[in-house]
Amino acid sequence: MKINGTLINYYFHCKRQCYLCGNRLNLEDNSEDVAIGKVLHESKYTGENTEVKIDNISLDKITDRYVTEMKKSDADIEAAKMQLLYYLKVLKEKGIEREGKLIFLEKNKNQKIDIIKLDEKNLNLLKSCEEEISKLLENDIVPPIEKTKGCKKCAYYEYCYL
Ligand code: SF4
């Protein structure tokens, strides 16, 4: 499976989640949490330049300055940042340079926004991360459960715990 933004996000959140998704054990459609996330996405942005698909990435919004990624909570900021950095990297390889804007939607009254930039350090981190994901997905053994706060909201919760 070609690496995409979701796999990058999962890799930083939970290696097992990354492995299961990357090997196409797709339980996402049954997850209430994923469904809520999709509704939030659809209801927040209906203007132009939204939901842009380029190769294997799908951008929530792109303007002259920013690529915007929306998340329904700030439960795993690092994973969300790496996903957005990956989008910036894919665009840069196509000659499109942007900054990243990360918006956490659940904080409706006090919406949290992070601005991120793709620098040399992040590029190197992404490169090694992509290599590690490729190796991880080829493995015959499913990585162990990583007990995290996010487990109960994960699409694989039943698979892991029940
Ligand atoms: S339920 Fe927890 S351990 Fe299992 S894949 Fe999801 S995040 Fe990882």
Side-chain angles (χ1 to χ4, degrees):
M1 183 178 186
K2 198 169 176 190
I3 289 172
N4 57 38
T6 300
L7 286 182
I8 297 276
N9 182 305
Y10 287 176
Y11 180 78
F12 282 90
H13 181 245
C14 167
K15 307 282 181 289
R16 182 177 171 94
Q17 188 183 27
C18 179
Y19 179 92
L20 293 172
C21 179
N23 283 293
R24 299 184 191 281
L25 180 62
N26 195 352
L27 305 179
E28 298 266 302
D29 290 345
N30 298 327
S31 164
E32 187 182 339
D33 204 55
V34 171
I36 292 168
K38 281 182 180 162
V39 169
L40 280 171
H41 268 235
E42 284 159 15
S43 63
K44 280 286 166 183
Y45 281 101
T46 53
E48 293 178 5
N49 298 325
T50 61
E51 290 287 345
V52 179
K53 289 190 193 304
I54 303 172
D55 290 351
N56 59 328
I57 61 171
S58 181
L59 310 176
D60 289 340
K61 185 178 182 184
I62 183 166
T63 65
D64 288 346
R65 181 160 182 194
Y66 295 111
V67 170
T68 301
E69 172 69 12
M70 288 162 284
K71 294 292 178 198
K72 67 176 209 58
S73 87
D74 60 357
D76 196 334
I77 294 173
E78 192 198 6
K81 275 187 179 172
M82 292 310 298
Q83 179 177 359
L84 184 49
L85 282 169
Y86 176 72
Y87 293 162
L88 298 181
K89 173 178 168 284
V90 171
L91 290 175
K92 186 181 167 78
E93 286 164 356
K94 295 181 177 301
I96 303 166
E97 300 212 23
R98 295 288 188 276
E99 292 177 22
K101 188 187 278 186
L102 198 48
I103 302 178
F104 299 100
L105 298 172
E106 238 176 22
K107 314 255 176 215
N108 270 336
K109 286 182 184 156
N110 188 19
Q111 209 173 61
K112 190 175 172 199
I113 298 177
D114 277 355
I115 302 297
I116 61 172
K117 293 180 184 176
L118 187 66
D119 57 19
E120 207 53 39
K121 190 177 156 206
N122 288 329
L123 273 171
N124 289 333
L125 180 58
L126 279 167
K127 194 173 164 227
S128 59
C129 164
E130 285 176 65
E131 287 166 4
E132 285 168 26
I133 290 175
S134 295
K135 278 189 214 151
L136 177 76
L137 299 187
E138 282 167 16
N139 210 320
D140 290 334
I141 300 165
V142 183
I145 289 171
E146 291 179 33
K147 241 180 183 172
T148 69
K149 277 193 292 182
C151 281
K152 283 198 174 160
K153 292 185 170 184
C154 174
Y156 299 107
Y157 179 75
E158 289 186 13
Y159 177 82
C160 291
Y161 290 100
L162 303 179

